[in-house]
Amino acid sequence: MPGDLCAKGSPDLCSRKDRATVLPITRRTLLRAASLIPLVAGDVAAQPNAVPARVVALDWASSETLLSLGVAPIAITERDRFLSANPAFAARAPIHDLGAPWEPNLELIDALAPSIIYTSSYTKMVEPQLRRISNVVVTDLHGGRRDQLARCAGFARTVVTAFPGLADGSLLAAMEQTLARNRAVLSAPRHPPVLCVYLHSNGRFANVFGLNSFAGNVVAHVGLANAWAAPTNSNGFDYVGIEKLAAIASARMLVLGDGAKTERALKTLKTSALWNAIPAVKAGEVRLFPDVAMYGALPTAVRFSQMLVDEFAREKPDAG
Amino acid sequence: MPVNILPTRNDRVLRVSPGLLVLSMAGLALLFSVRLLTGLVPIAEWPDAIWAADGGDVPSLLFVYSHLPRIAISILAGAALGLAGTLLQQVLRNPLAEPTTLGISTGAQLALVIALLWQPWLLDHGRETVAIAGALLAAAAVFAVARSGQSSPLSLVMAGLVVNMTLGAISGVAVLYNHEYLSELFVWQSGRLEQSGWSQVLFLAPRLVCAFIVSLLLTRPLALMELGDEGAQSLGLRMAGFRPVALLVAVALSASVVAAVGVIAFVGLAVPTLVSLAGARRLKERLLWAPAFGGSLLWLADQLVQQVAIGNTTLPTGVATALLGAPLLLVLLPGLRNAAAPPAVSFAAARRLDRPWLAVSMGLAVLGLALLGALAVGKTMGGWTVAGVDAADFVARWRGARVLAALSAGTLLGLAGTMIQRMTGNALASPEILGISSGASLGAIALTVVLPGFGLASLTAATTASAGLSLIIMLAVSRTTEFSPQRLILAGVALGTIVAALSEMLIATGGSSRTFLLSWMSGSTYRVTWDTAIAAACIATVSLFASPLFARWLDVLPLGESSARSLGMNIGQARGCIAVACALMTAGATIVIGPLSFVGLVAPHLARAVGISRALPHLVAAAIAGSTIMVLADWLGRLLIFPWQIPAGLLAALVGGPYFLVLMWRRA
């Protein structure tokens, strides 16, 4: 396949001789390869000055950042699940699936001859191998510190800079604007602290998102207090028994993930005396939210912050 | 011939009566509980808290709906496991029988996992039915393979181990491709007793009571089983009916515990043993004391666990019992008598080849074909590709190291497996069972905790060091018996349980180390670099050339201890040397391929099934068979669900486990 692309006159696609020697043997391969050409060519046509970029993304945070800025990776990991979690990107869906995020298919990445590989520290163990394929950008968006939104925005800006013709700077500006608009619109005394949880389907345990989690960063950004102040693991979340939630007074509980799993859990919990005695449940302060990626990036942050603002701004602030 | 390896009536090992044992455990547990509860609600207000919980404040709610049911479930689950363990040990005449060693817990667990992933509605109504179905299937497999009553205690435990590992591999694949459920499943598997109401208690209590009543009704026939089948029949008792009923009760009760709280290891093993060591010899006494002791033991363990906070949470109770119980098993070993009963599966080759080296060269040809395929044939964007000679660079970069590593690991495991099987005279022994793989994993697990951003060098150092350490421990506990194979195997089982429990806890805790642990523990060659592969290849080459040094020992040892002695052999020395060599080889293989794969078990067996019986050709043939299996597993793992990959060790285990169970079943 790379051979075909070379013939089309894209010298950057066949800079490494050895790739051309892994010969596809089926007719279907050739047809698929041929179907790829207009796609690359189309990009070139639309952006006459742009160098066609062959981008590969190994983590979902990079994938959603790239796609939201108009840069379609040719391949991402866990493609099908990513697309069902982010249906908005279906129109510009990446063509190739690279397999599991913890073991992206190295042979396939090499055969795809990417010009750049985006990944996170998740694939740290194979970073040297990746570097031998192409340029590697290792993002550092999550964990530890509480400036995750700034890091996500910074990363998005580097994407715009890296693909001057391809990436749409106005999309980035719109996202940053929304985020800036939502900064500290809500405030702790007027609005109750929030408790972001993800329920296990047996109804006995929950993942809680603390200050250092990605969701916790968004909560802090819009000005809300996080009801879960206890220490968590390095990625900012922890799993606890439901009974631990009972100790948290006057918070609004945001149950993330509105799928069948959460429904099952809530059905089980409906009859649980302890669950019904949790202050937030008792006060009718439980809201079902769509799933928020545990390791999201700028688009998720924008979406979640807007959901939070919509949720709270609708209502009259508490007196006092 | 059933084997009684418990001490006889006269030598009471523990100098306490069962009553005192129960009272002291329960007393301590009560103290801790009261301390915990008074921290929540002062004693004077307890009645109010209990009667007015629903309208009360948060502490009294936690008191009534979290802490009290947790105490109750710990007592109930402990009692149920104690009772189930006693029944199983009595019916099977096997002091090592318990829900975990017989695969019952794993079976129940896997059935629940499968239901959760694919038919979640089953769990709303038939949770228990699902668990019992899984438990029965797993137990049936173990019994069928080991021929329950007739075989030695160790055969049953080893069949249980293979079933456990196979089911674990299946559940590994299920989880790998549904990893949104990952932490949920691992939380559940690690056996946590957190409660949020009385529903689990109300679920388990009536089942325990029923099981208890049935076992009391069965006491007389079950007690007569000690006379053996003939003795019981002469007293006019038909055994055929009682045995299945008692087994069914024990399996169903264990499955209920799994459905309620997950897997709690070792309680079912330790409790009946401790109770009889404390002097409860008659079955009726044991049936009364074992639930009482089990309940108080798990109550105490659960209270102790709650004293130590780890971040927001505590050690899962199931992990704690495994950590406490496994060393207990090692401590109890010297008290177990007559443990050296020969396992039932015979070691003789089915037929004997006149020209074994011809078979070896044919094996080499097959290996060559597998190597060629693994290196040259792959998949890419649109379909299959065959790499030509001109693609050597591509092949060397992506496939070379993996294939070399798989080849070396297979060779090492084949050699180690053959040595262990010939040394123990047991066709069911393997490096996995020796506990070295588990020891090596323990090092990797510790490393991910201590030094999250580790590299290859520290991983190699950690696994080798801990494999060596576990070897020293195992040699120490089995030295007094001249490294008796039975001792080694039991120690291996104990170590394996600790490792499984710890890794499940770590994976559930999340964080960046868990994907590494998951993929390494499932035997992936994905991360192998040329450095690792070449290191493994060096170890494999040295081992292969050193193997003739062991040939004489390995020819003589299967003949039995007395024959070996009469030939002038120092058995302790020979076994010690072989054990050290096996440990080194297993550690080398484990670094590459992780702890899971049945290659060490299957490869020597394949070689023997062909008809190779002398030690040296057996070693070479097993090395070839092992490396062929691993190379094929690595290759197919890359192709079957392209672009996703199935870890080579997992694939080998998925095929090797069932294959081996069928072989055991046919030959038993």
Side-chain angles (χ1 to χ4, degrees):
Chain A
M1 189 213 83
D4 298 324
L5 290 171
C6 292
K8 274 280 170 187
S10 314
D12 62 309
L13 297 179
C14 48
S15 52
R16 292 247 308 271
K17 281 276 186 286
D18 54 271
R19 286 202 189 94
T21 56
V22 182
L23 293 174
I25 51 169
T26 64
R27 195 163 45 104
R28 204 199 296 163
T29 317
L30 293 170
L31 288 173
R32 277 219 198 149
S35 71
L36 234 170
I37 296 159
L39 211 133
V40 178
D43 276 344
V44 176
Q47 314 278 346
N49 299 325
V51 180
R54 294 179 64 82
V55 183
V56 158
L58 305 187
D59 65 317
W60 281 20
S62 305
S63 301
E64 68 169 55
T65 307
L66 289 162
L67 279 161
S68 72
L69 294 171
V71 181
I74 49 170
I76 61 172
T77 54
E78 253 195 323
R79 176 178 172 276
D80 297 346
R81 260 196 39 173
F82 177 82
L83 290 178
S84 66
N86 301 278
F89 296 135
R92 283 179 69 85
I95 307 146
H96 299 290
D97 185 9
L98 292 175
W102 57 93
E103 290 194 351
N105 195 312
L106 295 172
E107 275 189 36
L108 183 55
I109 297 174
D110 195 12
L112 286 169
S115 51
I116 189 158
I117 299 170
Y118 284 98
T119 186
S120 67
S121 58
Y122 216 59
T123 51
K124 191 170 181 294
M125 296 282 280
V126 288
E127 232 174 84
Q129 285 98 310
L130 291 173
R131 289 199 188 282
R132 269 184 286 151
I133 298 176
S134 182
N135 302 313
V136 177
V137 175
V138 183
T139 62
D140 173 30
L141 307 182
H142 304 108
R145 291 159 290 143
R146 294 180 197 166
D147 58 347
Q148 293 180 21
L149 299 198
R151 279 188 272 164
C152 289
F155 169 58
R157 280 193 292 272
T158 65
V159 169
V160 171
T161 325
F163 304 98
L166 269 177
D168 191 340
S170 64
L171 293 172
L172 172 64
M175 284 197 283
E176 288 198 287
Q177 247 167 33
T178 314
L179 212 54
R181 196 175 62 231
N182 290 340
R183 173 190 290 278
V185 238
L186 311 172
S187 58
R190 282 190 302 130
H191 301 98
V194 294
L195 176 63
C196 298
V197 301
Y198 160 90
L199 297 174
H200 287 200
S201 59
N202 61 10
R204 264 171 67 207
F205 296 93
N207 284 13
V208 288
F209 295 93
L211 300 170
N212 291 340
S213 66
F214 179 70
N217 272 256
V218 181
V219 165
H221 176 83
V222 297
L224 291 169
N226 194 328
W228 192 264
T232 47
N233 71 15
S234 58
N235 291 312
F237 66 91
D238 211 340
Y239 69 91
V240 295
I242 291 291
E243 76 281 354
K244 289 274 196 296
L245 305 182
I248 290 168
S250 70
R252 179 162 303 178
M253 192 192 297
L254 308 180
V255 179
L256 305 181
D258 49 4
K261 227 185 333 175
T262 308
E263 267 168 42
R264 275 177 41 75
L266 287 173
K267 211 172 99 191
T268 316
L269 286 168
K270 213 154 57 179
T271 54
S272 156
L274 193 65
W275 169 260
N276 289 318
I278 293 175
V281 180
K282 219 177 188 174
E285 292 277 289
V286 178
R287 301 286 183 276
L288 210 54
F289 264 54
D291 206 359
V292 173
M294 210 178 262
Y295 304 106
L298 194 60
T300 302
V302 168
R303 194 162 51 92
F304 187 40
S305 74
Q306 196 56 49
M307 285 194 290
L308 287 172
V309 170
D310 291 347
E311 164 73 23
F312 285 90
R314 261 195 276 121
E315 31 191 279
K316 208 169 52 175
D318 292 353
Chain B
M1 177 63 199
V3 185
N4 185 17
I5 68 175
L6 281 177
T8 57
R9 204 168 286 241
N10 298 327
D11 46 17
R12 222 164 98 173
V13 176
L14 296 178
R15 292 180 189 280
V16 283
S17 68
L20 196 62
L21 209 58
V22 170
L23 271 182
S24 56
M25 290 278 175
L28 264 177
L30 187 66
L31 269 181
F32 280 120
S33 306
V34 168
R35 209 187 107 187
L36 203 69
L37 289 171
T38 46
L40 204 63
V41 177
I43 289 192
E45 295 168 25
W46 284 10
D48 288 348
I50 292 170
W51 297 126
D54 289 335
D57 51 357
V58 170
S60 49
L61 279 165
L62 287 177
F63 184 85
V64 176
Y65 291 113
S66 173
H67 285 81
L68 289 185
R70 181 165 182 168
I71 293 173
I73 200 86
S74 66
I75 296 172
L76 287 175
L81 291 171
L83 182 61
T86 309
L87 285 176
L88 289 171
Q89 294 181 12
Q90 180 73 16
V91 176
L92 302 173
R93 313 288 325 277
N94 184 340
L96 300 176
E98 69 131 353
T100 341
T101 51
L102 294 184
I104 295 171
S105 300
T106 328
Q109 184 77 44
L110 179 63
L112 289 170
V113 165
I114 288 171
L116 175 69
L117 293 179
W118 285 288
Q119 300 293 331
W121 56 271
L122 272 175
L123 295 182
D124 294 334
H125 307 291
R127 189 183 182 78
E128 190 189 15
T129 323
V130 171
I132 291 179
L136 278 178
L137 281 177
V142 172
F143 293 147
V145 165
R147 294 286 195 273
S148 64
Q150 284 74 44
S151 60
S152 85
L154 279 160
S155 316
L156 201 61
V157 170
M158 278 190 282
L161 193 67
V162 176
V163 167
N164 271 337
M165 287 168 81
T166 311
L167 297 182
I170 295 172
S171 128
V173 171
V175 169
L176 213 50
Y177 302 106
N178 292 280
H179 72 285
E180 67 267 33
Y181 280 97
L182 195 76
S183 61
E184 191 163 325
L185 291 175
F186 280 102
V187 166
W188 195 20
Q189 274 170 13
S190 54
R192 304 201 67 108
L193 294 182
E194 274 90 342
Q195 296 296 301
S196 53
W198 289 90
S199 60
Q200 314 285 346
V201 174
L202 293 177
F203 168 83
L204 197 53
R207 285 159 178 82
L208 174 61
V209 172
C210 288
F212 188 62
I213 291 171
V214 174
S215 26
L216 283 188
L217 293 176
L218 288 176
T219 307
R220 209 180 99 81
L222 290 182
L224 289 176
M225 277 181 196
E226 281 166 28
L227 304 172
D229 285 0
E230 296 83 12
Q233 265 157 16
S234 70
L235 288 173
L237 193 69
R238 272 193 59 242
M239 301 310 295
F242 295 109
R243 220 188 270 270
V245 172
L247 273 181
L248 196 66
V249 168
V251 170
L253 191 60
S254 324
S256 302
V257 173
V258 174
V261 294
V263 178
I264 309 272
F266 272 114
V267 174
L269 177 71
V271 163
T273 312
L274 284 173
V275 163
S276 64
L277 288 179
R281 295 269 178 264
R282 288 170 45 221
L283 179 64
K284 196 168 180 184
E285 292 170 345
R286 281 187 280 141
L287 281 178
L288 290 174
W289 285 118
F293 182 54
S296 51
L297 184 71
L298 193 58
W299 182 15
L300 178 61
D302 189 44
Q303 291 301 316
L304 286 177
V305 152
Q306 291 181 68
Q307 303 293 317
V308 189
I310 301 172
N312 266 315
T313 166
T314 54
L315 198 66
T317 315
V319 174
T321 57
L323 290 180
L324 294 173
L328 185 70
L329 185 65
L330 295 183
V331 172
L332 285 178
L333 285 179
L336 299 179
R337 290 198 159 177
N338 197 11
V345 175
S346 89
F347 190 72
R351 60 207 164 91
R352 210 176 167 126
L353 280 189
D354 296 332
R355 283 179 293 177
W357 293 109
L358 186 68
V360 167
S361 4
M362 279 162 68
L364 262 182
V366 175
L367 173 61
L369 282 178
L371 276 174
L372 201 64
L375 286 172
V377 180
K379 272 187 175 179
T380 188
M381 285 81 86
W384 298 83
T385 61
V386 177
V389 181
D390 46 350
D393 186 34
F394 182 90
V395 168
R397 194 175 323 120
W398 300 124
R399 299 175 191 160
R402 291 180 71 152
V403 172
L404 182 62
L407 181 80
S408 315
T411 305
L412 287 168
L413 287 174
L415 288 175
T418 310
M419 287 195 180
I420 291 171
Q421 293 189 2
R422 294 192 81 97
M423 174 177 93
T424 57
N426 185 333
L428 305 183
S430 87
E432 292 89 348
I433 289 170
L434 197 69
I436 307 296
S437 313
S438 311
S441 325
L442 211 51
I445 290 171
L447 188 67
T448 57
V449 175
V450 180
L451 195 73
F454 53 87
L456 179 70
S458 40
L459 177 66
T460 312
T463 44
T464 314
S466 66
L469 194 67
S470 62
L471 175 75
I472 291 170
I473 294 173
M474 295 224 328
L475 292 183
V477 295
S478 52
R479 191 173 50 89
T480 47
T481 52
E482 292 192 315
F483 310 107
S484 108
Q486 284 70 25
R487 237 11 110 72
L488 286 175
I489 287 164
L490 281 181
V493 170
L495 208 54
T497 312
I498 295 182
V499 167
L502 275 182
S503 58
E504 266 162 20
M505 185 188 72
L506 265 183
I507 289 167
T509 322
S512 48
S513 56
R514 83 167 173 199
T515 38
F516 162 73
L517 267 184
L518 257 186
S519 99
W520 184 67
M521 304 252 332
S522 58
S524 169
T525 49
Y526 180 79
R527 285 175 181 77
V528 169
T529 57
W530 275 109
D531 300 347
T532 333
I534 289 171
C538 289
I539 301 174
T541 315
V542 171
S543 309
L544 206 54
F545 282 107
S547 56
L549 300 177
F550 295 92
R552 199 185 94 87
W553 282 342
L554 295 173
D555 270 326
V556 173
L557 277 174
L559 303 175
E561 287 189 17
S562 48
S563 319
R565 276 215 184 79
S566 66
L567 287 167
M569 192 161 145
N570 181 341
I571 291 185
Q573 190 190 21
R575 282 179 179 162
C577 287
I578 294 170
V580 170
C582 285
L584 291 176
M585 289 190 272
T586 312
T590 307
I591 291 164
V592 174
I593 209 77
L596 177 92
S597 84
F598 289 105
V599 173
L601 207 56
V602 173
H605 202 276
L606 274 178
R608 236 186 25 258
V610 173
I612 293 171
S613 54
R614 300 276 301 179
L616 191 56
H618 190 187
L619 282 166
V620 176
I624 293 170
S627 43
T628 310
I629 293 171
M630 280 321 298
V631 169
L632 282 178
D634 181 52
W635 183 28
L636 292 177
R638 275 183 276 141
L639 294 180
L640 286 179
I641 52 168
F642 179 87
W644 292 63
Q645 298 164 74
I646 305 174
L650 199 61
L651 196 60
L654 275 181
V655 181
Y659 163 84
F660 197 74
L661 287 176
V662 169
L663 274 185
M664 278 165 83
W665 177 65
R666 284 227 211 107
R667 301 193 65 189

